[in-house]
Amino acid sequence: MTRTVLITGGAGFIGSRLAADLAGAGDDVVLLDSLHPQVHASGWPALPAGITAIPFDVTVPTMWDAVLRSVHPDVVVHLAAETGTGQSLTEASRHTRVNVVGTSELLDGLHRAGVVPERFVLASSRAVYGEGDWATASGERFAADARDVHQLERAQWDPASPDGSVATPLAHAAATTHPRPSNVYAATKLAQEHVLHAWASAHGAPLSVLRLQNVYGPGQSLTNPYTGIVSLFGRLARDHRSIPVYEDGSITRDFVFVDDVVRALAAATRSDRAGTTTVDIGSGAPMTLLDLAGVIAEQAGAPAPQVTGQYRLGDVRAAFADVTAAGALLGYEPRFDPSRGVALLLDWMATQDAPTLRAA
């Protein structure tokens, strides 16, 4: 049976791939995107025939009314969001307006149109966890406090443990790790989850929340200085520049290839689970930024990375996913390790002609 799938943020490298996947499976796909020049300097990406793409601002009620007069989605995949972690601390109203108000305008528009989708899928973020949970040397689990500017100025990189011992970060798992956002972007993504959960629950519409780790791959913006650390490192390495690595090089992340994320989102659109389901999507293999930079530099033939001791406010020390629940509920299994994913990204970057990128 043909479904109508509405994807907000559909011009992004995740949304456009998901659109092609769903259209190839027989769905009618409608994409909405504001085409913000910070992310989409070249406008819409190439899309397969049959996909409807509409320039769109999720914060404008009349635009929702116009679209929902003719489009009655069976599934809504909500990807639209302002995503800059550091930028959200200086442009809080912009992130709140798009991520929170934009989500509520979507729901109000559905109400005015008398439409309750059969399922919502939200691309949330690992950022909602903040510093997440850590373990003391004796194995005691604790929720780490956000690192403030004074701690970072003293180069005290790891969160302090309650007993003063050296602490170890634990994997993010929605069932056990309590969200504690440490920047404005993260707070707005958690608000998206709450707003959608409240509306969907009241209307009996299932909701799948996928908390994505650091997504990378071909098609990611090469001009946005606020997101995409893998593409940024790739740009520097392809220019044969030494990659600067912040703090002491041991910031830990979970870099998940875009095709793995698209398969997870597509599976979520076809889930038959009732209520709200929240899972974590990552590669299952945490990696330090220094190790990532080393892989990229080696593949690009660039100089060795340099640890700078710099830091960025709002960043967390460690973030990586426990993908067990995603495997059980969505059949998710990551297929791309960082070495393979980086090679594919660098090959794609070699075909692009992006302007010089300035550091944020």
Side-chain angles (χ1 to χ4, degrees), residues 85 89 124-134 141-148 157-159 168-174 176-191 193 211-214 247 251-254 280 312-321:
T85 298
L89 295 175
S124 188
S125 171
R126 56 91 180 163
V128 302
Y129 294 114
E131 289 292 347
D133 287 352
W134 289 56
R141 187 183 188 109
F142 69 96
D145 290 331
R147 304 176 302 166
D148 64 27
W157 306 126
D158 287 343
T168 303
L170 301 175
H172 294 164
T176 57
T177 310
H178 186 69
R180 300 179 75 195
S182 61
N183 57 69
V184 173
Y185 163 68
T188 64
K189 292 302 291 184
L190 186 58
E193 292 187 20
R211 291 175 176 166
L212 309 181
Q213 294 286 323
N214 287 60
E247 300 185 16
I251 297 172
T252 301
R253 294 290 184 269
D254 186 337
D280 300 280
R312 189 173 67 165
L313 291 176
D315 268 357
V316 300
R317 179 63 166 170
F320 53 98

Side-chain angles (χ1 to χ4, degrees), residues 8-338:
T8 70
F13 80 125
I14 298 174
S16 58
R17 276 175 166 72
L18 177 62
D21 180 285
L22 297 178
D27 291 328
D28 289 332
V29 181
V30 178
L31 305 184
L32 308 178
D33 203 293
S34 68
L35 301 176
H36 195 290
Q38 179 175 305
V39 181
H40 305 292
S42 302
W44 289 100
L47 297 168
I51 294 175
T52 302
I54 304 172
F56 195 89
D57 185 338
V58 295
T59 68
V60 179
T62 54
M63 297 188 79
W64 280 114
D65 291 340
V67 165
L68 293 173
R69 273 196 294 268
S70 58
V71 178
H72 296 165
D74 300 299
V75 179
V76 173
V77 182
H78 193 32
L79 303 179
E82 297 289 353
T83 59
T85 298
Q87 190 178 22
S88 74
L89 295 175
T90 58
E91 298 184 39
S93 59
R94 172 182 165 188
H95 284 71
T96 303
R97 184 164 51 250
V98 173
N99 298 356
V100 182
V101 175
T103 300
S104 62
E105 291 292 1
L106 156 64
L107 300 176
D108 285 350
L110 290 169
H111 171 72
R112 290 191 297 272
V115 175
V116 177
E118 296 175 6
R119 176 165 297 275
F120 287 95
V121 177
L122 172 66
S124 188
S125 171
R126 56 91 180 163
V128 302
Y129 294 114
E131 289 292 347
D133 287 352
W134 289 56
T136 66
S138 63
E140 178 186 357
R141 187 183 188 109
F142 69 96
D145 290 331
R147 304 176 302 166
D148 64 27
V149 63
H150 304 296
Q151 180 180 354
L152 295 171
E153 280 291 330
R154 295 192 297 268
Q156 294 177 347
W157 306 126
D158 287 343
S161 64
D163 61 6
S165 66
V166 175
T168 303
L170 301 175
H172 294 164
T176 57
T177 310
H178 186 69
R180 300 179 75 195
S182 61
N183 57 69
V184 173
Y185 163 68
T188 64
K189 292 302 291 184
L190 186 58
Q192 277 188 329
E193 292 187 20
H194 290 324
V195 169
L196 273 172
H197 168 73
W199 195 94
S201 296
H203 291 80
L207 166 65
S208 296
V209 177
L210 279 62
R211 291 175 176 166
L212 309 181
Q213 294 286 323
N214 287 60
V215 187
Y216 73 100
Q220 190 167 29
S221 173
L222 299 179
T223 58
N224 184 357
Y226 294 99
T227 58
I229 191 68
V230 185
S231 60
L232 171 60
F233 282 5
R235 288 282 305 281
L236 294 169
R238 292 193 69 254
D239 287 342
H240 300 287
R241 296 160 63 184
S242 176
I243 299 170
V245 182
Y246 281 15
E247 300 185 16
D248 61 351
S250 295
I251 297 172
T252 301
R253 294 290 184 269
D254 186 337
F255 299 101
V256 57
F257 194 68
V258 62
D259 288 2
D260 284 334
V261 171
V262 167
R263 284 188 298 101
L265 289 166
T269 70
R270 302 183 182 102
S271 173
D272 59 2
R273 294 185 65 85
T276 296
T277 303
T278 304
V279 298
D280 300 280
I281 304 296
S283 70
M287 193 176 202
T288 68
L289 291 194
L290 185 58
D291 287 341
L292 170 71
V295 169
I296 294 174
E298 181 178 2
Q299 292 195 16
Q306 298 294 318
V307 175
T308 69
Q310 295 171 277
Y311 61 85
R312 189 173 67 165
L313 291 176
D315 268 357
V316 300
R317 179 63 166 170
F320 53 98
D322 179 344
V323 298
T324 304
L329 301 178
L330 299 177
Y332 175 72
E333 183 178 353
R335 298 175 182 173
F336 292 81
D337 62 42

